[in-house]
Amino acid sequence: RAPRAVHVRFAGVAADEQEFLRLRDLMVGKPGDCAVYFHIRGDGREIVIKASPQLALDAEEDVLALVRSSPLVEDVWKE
């Protein structure tokens, strides 16, 4: 079964706007068919935010490894 979603859990590290812009540009540059969900931890819980439909990502392992290499990202997985 082909994956339909990519989940990105943020590491919770302090970062500047440029780091987020680099991650966004990386993801925009690897378009695909998977919806993107961002997981953000705080106050003892985790919230999940679905990205805009314009940000659909390729779920190939090399793409996920690129996203995972960002210092902002703790984990990436596909469903």
Side-chain angles (χ1 to χ4, degrees), residues 2-77:
R4 302 298 303 151
V6 172
H7 295 261
V8 179
R9 178 173 290 125
F10 286 106
V13 297
D16 63 13
E17 182 180 2
Q18 291 305 312
E19 283 295 329
F20 284 102
L21 292 175
R22 278 191 281 279
L23 180 59
R24 181 206 58 197
D25 291 346
L26 183 153
M27 295 174 87
V28 167
K30 301 293 184 181
D33 296 324
C34 292
V36 178
Y37 293 86
F38 296 111
H39 295 249
I40 304 166
R41 292 182 186 171
D43 298 329
R45 62 188 180 122
E46 181 172 275
I47 60 170
V48 180
I49 300 170
K50 184 178 181 184
S52 166
Q54 287 93 0
L55 184 63
L57 192 61
D58 184 340
E60 294 296 323
E61 286 303 322
D62 61 329
V63 174
L64 300 182
L66 281 173
V67 174
R68 198 175 284 116
S69 72
S70 167
L72 300 174
V73 175
E74 176 181 310
D75 195 14
V76 177
W77 66 96

